[in-house]
């Protein structure tokens, strides 16, 4: 798995588009009040080949400041699905595992404190564009 930090070099219009989509989705799903604003935090891309995976992790291990942050993951390229090939998983507050199958164009939005990862890929290339935002209430 290769990752590239894009913080500060990602075009502003891309960040603004992500913000707009996230705000609309959070309000639509009643996860945030009207008027919520997001401040860009970090951005990166991850590229994985056959056998690549992300070990279970969260993005708030170092500080409680991340309690009011969200993470996003947009699939730019995905291999053909075979079994759990590169499937994203997350742990909810209930004793269950949430699984999201990779598909080009799929956007995942979740709190940074949620533990998540991916199963190993059986084949092909998977690339994601990832941004995190601070929630300004």
């Amino acid at each position: 798995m290769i990752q590239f930090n894009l913080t500060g070099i990602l075009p502003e219009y891309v960040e603004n588009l992500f913000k707009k989509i996230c705000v609309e989705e959070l309000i639509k799903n009643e996860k945030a009040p009207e008027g919520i604003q997001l401040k860009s935090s970090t951005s990166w891309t991850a590229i994985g080949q056959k056998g690549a995976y992300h070990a279970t992790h969260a993005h708030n291990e170092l500080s409680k400041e991340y309690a009011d942050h969200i993470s996003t993951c947009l699939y730019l390229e995905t291999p053909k699905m075979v079994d759990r090939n590169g499937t994203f998983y997350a742990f909810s507050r209930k004793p269950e595992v949430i699984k999201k199958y990779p598909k080009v164009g799929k956007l995942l939005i979740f709190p940074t404190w949620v533990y998540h990862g991916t199963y190993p890929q059986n084949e092909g290339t998977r690339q994601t564009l990832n941004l995190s935002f601070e929630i300004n209430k």
Side-chain angles (χ1 to χ4, degrees):
M1 182 70 61
I2 301 170
Q3 293 191 102
F4 298 100
N5 184 349
L6 301 175
T7 304
I9 60 174
L10 194 65
E12 188 175 343
Y13 72 89
V14 174
E15 289 185 8
N16 289 338
L17 180 60
F18 267 72
K19 286 181 196 177
K20 181 180 185 305
I21 292 169
C22 288
V23 166
E24 288 172 358
E25 286 298 311
L26 291 169
I27 291 171
K28 180 176 83 176
N29 292 299
E30 300 179 359
K31 301 291 182 190
E34 293 281 342
I36 185 174
Q37 295 184 5
L38 301 178
K39 178 182 173 189
S40 298
S41 182
T42 58
S43 57
W44 66 99
T45 188
I47 303 169
Q49 298 288 330
K50 181 177 181 177
Y53 66 95
H54 269 86
T56 303
H57 66 284
H59 296 275
N60 64 335
E61 299 94 342
L62 303 177
S63 172
K64 292 184 179 183
E65 294 175 20
Y66 288 95
D68 289 334
H69 281 65
I70 59 169
S71 293
T72 64
C73 176
L74 174 66
Y75 287 95
L76 302 176
E77 183 176 353
T78 61
K80 181 179 131 194
M81 280 300 299
V82 178
D83 199 20
R84 299 184 304 189
N85 188 25
T87 300
F88 175 93
Y89 62 84
F91 298 97
S92 70
R93 289 185 175 167
K94 300 174 188 176
E96 68 178 323
V97 176
I98 299 166
K99 296 179 183 174
K100 299 292 180 183
Y101 297 97
K103 180 180 176 185
V104 172
K106 182 179 275 191
L107 176 65
L108 305 177
I109 303 170
F110 53 97
T112 58
W113 52 263
V114 169
Y115 281 88
H116 60 281
T118 62
Y119 292 107
Q121 292 173 228
N122 295 335
E123 60 182 54
T125 299
R126 178 182 68 235
Q127 182 176 8
T128 59
L129 177 59
N130 309 276
L131 286 86
S132 63
F133 299 99
E134 179 180 350
I135 299 172
N136 294 326
K137 298 176 183 175

